[in-house]
């Protein structure tokens, strides 16, 4: 990923924060027919000596060929897309002075790299499912739990899935928030994106820009 120094984000807690807030990742790998991608909800675990950038965990259907080629040399990349939005030149001061401005698109994204592992252990899978369920059900008025379903039904479904784990050896973040613009332009973008007529992703990007307004480099 082309990442000018101005837009580079290297703080591990910030990169993990985006993954945690936007857990649906696109796992890209080489398959039998060339490049292929699977879209999976992940959790991110803290770093270990083996995985200095953390560990991604998820599960797939046993029928999914993704896990069958897993091994030490099965390198893959998972892409996590954060807030993003179109940026109109109308928000730039120079547009009012000379008109010499053009639109752009701003965003925050993380690319996670590592080797894919397949995990068949039922206890490992159950622990993962319980964590994912607790996390995503937390906002519900009456959170669903795995115990709400019959045990024999869950046991049957467990046999139909495979866990995957990716110890991360590289994590690249690109926060394209207009850091190359003046503080006035950054503040104007944040204000424009925060307006109520903007879609949710745009308002989220506006909040991110507002929290990271910096002097232009």
């Amino acid at each position: 990923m082309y990442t000018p120094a101005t837009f580079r984000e290297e703080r591990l807690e910030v990169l993990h924060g985006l993954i945690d807030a936007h857990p649906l990742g696109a796992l890209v790998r080489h398959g039998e027919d060339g490049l292929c991608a699977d879209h999976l909800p992940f959790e991110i675990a803290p770093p270990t000596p083996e995985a200095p950038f953390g560990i991604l965990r998820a599960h797939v259907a046993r029928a999914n060929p993704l896990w069958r080629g897993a091994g030490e040399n099965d390198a893959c990349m998972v892409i996590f897309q954060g807030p993003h939005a179109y940026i109109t030149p109308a928000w730039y001061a120079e547009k009012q002075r000379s008109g010499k401005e053009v639109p752009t698109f701003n965003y925050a994204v993380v690319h996670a790299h590592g080797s894919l592992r397949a995990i068949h252990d039922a206890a490992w899978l159950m622990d993962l499912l319980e964590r994912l369920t607790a996390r995503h059900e937390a906002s519900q008025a009456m959170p669903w739990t795995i115990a709400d379903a019959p045990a024999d039904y869950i046991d049957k479904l467990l046999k139909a899935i495979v866990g995957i784990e990716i110890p991360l050896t590289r994590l690249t973040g690109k926060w394209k928030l207009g850091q190359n613009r003046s503080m006035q332009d950054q503040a104007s973008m944040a204000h424009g994106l925060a307006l109520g007529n903007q879609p949710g992703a745009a308002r989220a990007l506006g909040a991110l820009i507002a929290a990271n307004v910096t002097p232009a480099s």
Side-chain angles (χ1 to χ4, degrees), residues 42-158:
F42 286 88
E43 71 166 10
I44 180 71
T48 67
E50 174 196 29
F53 297 98
I55 302 171
L56 290 174
R57 297 187 177 114
H59 66 280
V60 298
R62 189 167 289 276
N64 189 332
L66 164 69
W67 65 270
R68 296 187 182 278
E72 291 299 321
N73 297 318
D74 191 24
C76 63
M77 175 177 67
V78 186
I79 301 171
F80 295 94
Q81 176 68 66
H84 53 88
Y86 170 84
I87 305 298
T88 173
W91 292 334
Y92 297 151
E94 189 61 34
K95 163 66 170 64
Q96 314 309 322
R97 290 192 290 267
S98 69
K100 296 180 179 180
E101 292 288 3
V102 294
T104 191
F105 214 92
N106 284 355
Y107 54 87
V109 66
V110 171
H111 289 188
H113 301 259
S115 294
L116 186 68
R117 294 176 177 170
I119 300 176
H120 302 273
D121 181 74
W124 187 98
L125 280 165
M126 181 62 82
D127 285 345
L128 174 68
L129 295 177
E130 288 178 342
R131 291 195 303 272
L132 290 174
T133 300
R135 184 250 169 114
H136 293 293
E137 285 283 331
S139 62
Q140 300 298 316
M142 298 181 64
W144 181 88
T145 69
I146 292 176
D148 290 341
D152 58 343
Y153 174 74
I154 295 298
D155 288 342
K156 180 180 178 180
L157 292 181
L158 275 176

Side-chain angles (χ1 to χ4, degrees), residues 87-88 90-93 106 177-195 202-203 205-216:
I87 305 298
T88 173
W91 292 334
Y92 297 151
N106 284 355
L177 307 178
Q179 299 96 317
N180 56 329
R181 311 291 312 192
S182 68
M183 294 180 69
Q184 178 185 353
D185 282 352
Q186 292 175 64
S188 180
M189 282 188 285
H191 174 73
L193 291 168
L195 297 178
R203 292 196 299 274
L205 181 70
L208 191 60
I209 292 174
N212 289 271
V213 171
T214 58

